[in-house]
């Protein structure tokens, strides 16, 4: 186990609704990155949070937003859900101080939009 | 730019060897390798850095050719537990990774 926990593990939402996913980072890590993984694909980078601020964003629309809290836990919010948002959402925690450090992934939240 | 992995899938018998390749059209500063089993989180295997430094937690070897912008993961004497999907990731900046499409490895008894 990595010490990174995500909740909930599974979620079913209706198109147009909003969803919040949560991630508790590994102890000692100050950076959280979020990824979207469609079935049969590699994880795609959504954004990263460091010291409670967004620190880089992938090719995702503004309806994907996030937060990081003082204890380094994080939330991913998705508004106006679309069918294509159905995927496994992964968070990964790491230590930001330098590049080339490993990221530890949580188990993911499986989101299904119907 | 997403790195390209090859092969897309490979089937092995226990004890056989395999090589998984990862190539990028952009200059690579580091390559990260992860393994993901079905329904589980990706698990860190190794980082390869420019200059030859490696950081890993398992007995898996890999190479990093900076000039060719390629990395290869070597799985020797495969075990059933090696089954899963292997992803390489190239680091954009500060821990932000762009992953390849994955290589599915199946090890049969």
């Amino acid at each position: 186990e990595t010490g990174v926990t995500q909740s909930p593990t599974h979620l079913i939402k209706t198109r147009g609704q909003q969803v919040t996913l949560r991630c508790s980072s590994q102890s000692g890590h100050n950076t959280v990155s979020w990824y979207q993984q469609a079935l049969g694909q590699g994880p795609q980078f959504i954004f990263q949070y460091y010291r409670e601020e967004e620190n880089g964003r992938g090719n995702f629309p503004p309806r994907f937003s996030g937060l990081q809290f003082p204890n380094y836990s994080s939330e991913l919010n998705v508004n106006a859900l679309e069918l294509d948002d159905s995927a496994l959402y992964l968070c990964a925690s790491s230590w930001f101080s330098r590049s080339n450090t490993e990221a530890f992934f949580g188990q993911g939240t499986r989101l299904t939009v119907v | 730019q997403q790195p390209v992995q090859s092969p897309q899938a490979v089937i092995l018998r226990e004890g056989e060897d395999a090589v998984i390749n990862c190539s990028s059209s952009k200059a690579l500063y580091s390559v990260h390798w992860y393994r993901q089993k079905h329904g589980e989180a990706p698990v860190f295997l190794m980082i390869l850095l420019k200059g030859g430094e490696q950081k890993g937690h398992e007995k898996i070897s890999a190479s990093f050719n900076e000039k060719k912008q390629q990395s290869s993961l070597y799985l020797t004497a495969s075990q059933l537990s090696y089954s899963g999907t292997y992803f390489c990731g190239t680091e954009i900046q500060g821990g932000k990774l762009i992953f390849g499409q994955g290589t599915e490895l199946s090890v049969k008894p």
Side-chain angles (χ1 to χ4, degrees), chain A residues 12-106:
Chain A
I12 300 175
K13 288 287 189 178
T14 304
R15 189 172 51 180
Q17 284 188 315
Q18 178 266 342
V19 69
T20 297
L21 311 181
R22 294 179 175 83
C23 171
S24 294
S25 58
Q26 180 159 308
S27 178
H29 285 178
N30 58 8
T31 303
V32 174
S33 302
W34 285 91
Y35 294 84
Q36 180 194 66
Q37 186 176 25
L39 206 60
Q41 301 294 318
Q44 284 197 56
F45 175 72
I46 303 175
F47 45 56
Q48 182 184 81
Y49 275 82
Y50 169 62
R51 288 188 174 178
E52 302 177 54
E53 292 195 0
E54 187 178 292
N55 180 53
R57 188 178 186 91
N59 189 26
F60 281 82
R63 59 189 185 85
F64 285 79
S65 63
L67 284 173
Q68 187 182 32
F69 301 100
N71 66 355
Y72 304 129
S73 65
S74 177
E75 287 182 355
L76 164 66
N77 299 291
V78 187
N79 293 322
L81 284 167
E82 300 177 0
L83 298 179
D84 285 349
D85 295 335
S86 295
L88 179 68
Y89 288 85
L90 296 161
C91 76
S93 77
S94 58
W95 180 249
F96 184 78
S97 63
R98 61 192 186 280
S99 297
N100 305 319
T101 59
E102 59 265 41
F104 293 92
F105 283 83

Side-chain angles (χ1 to χ4, degrees), chain B residues 13-16 76-83 105-108:
Chain B
R13 293 286 181 190
E14 265 189 299
E16 292 181 338
T76 57
S78 59
Q79 305 170 17
L80 294 176
S81 62
Y82 286 10
S83 292
L105 178 73
S106 297
V107 181
K108 308 290 186 184

